[in-house]
Amino acid sequence: MMPRKQHDETLAELESTQAALRENIEASKELIARSAELLDRHRAEQARTKPDQLSQQD
């Protein structure tokens, strides 16, 4: 059995890691959303400037 102090330290490390992972997940979600916006904008611009090329890619 793990001593109480070691248990508390391990639990604190796990909680800290979990919080960091949650922050990373949220940051990743924001980056994915931003990437999707940029891709949509790029595709819209591409459709305006090169409509023939865009239809050939599909």
Side-chain angles (χ1 to χ4, degrees):
M1 188 124 184
M2 186 182 296
R4 181 69 184 180
K5 183 180 177 192
Q6 185 180 2
H7 175 269
D8 290 346
E9 290 171 356
T10 301
L11 183 58
E13 286 179 35
L14 288 171
E15 288 171 343
S16 175
T17 300
Q18 185 178 38
L21 287 170
R22 285 189 173 142
E23 288 175 16
N24 285 339
I25 289 168
E26 288 307 310
S28 294
K29 286 178 183 178
E30 291 172 14
L31 287 171
I32 290 166
R34 180 72 177 136
S35 295
E37 289 172 13
L38 290 172
L39 182 59
D40 289 345
R41 189 182 309 164
H42 172 72
R43 286 181 175 159
E45 183 64 26
Q46 207 176 32
R48 281 192 296 274
T49 59
K50 302 175 185 175
D52 294 335
Q53 223 177 20
L54 187 62
S55 62
Q56 290 174 1
Q57 289 177 359
D58 293 341

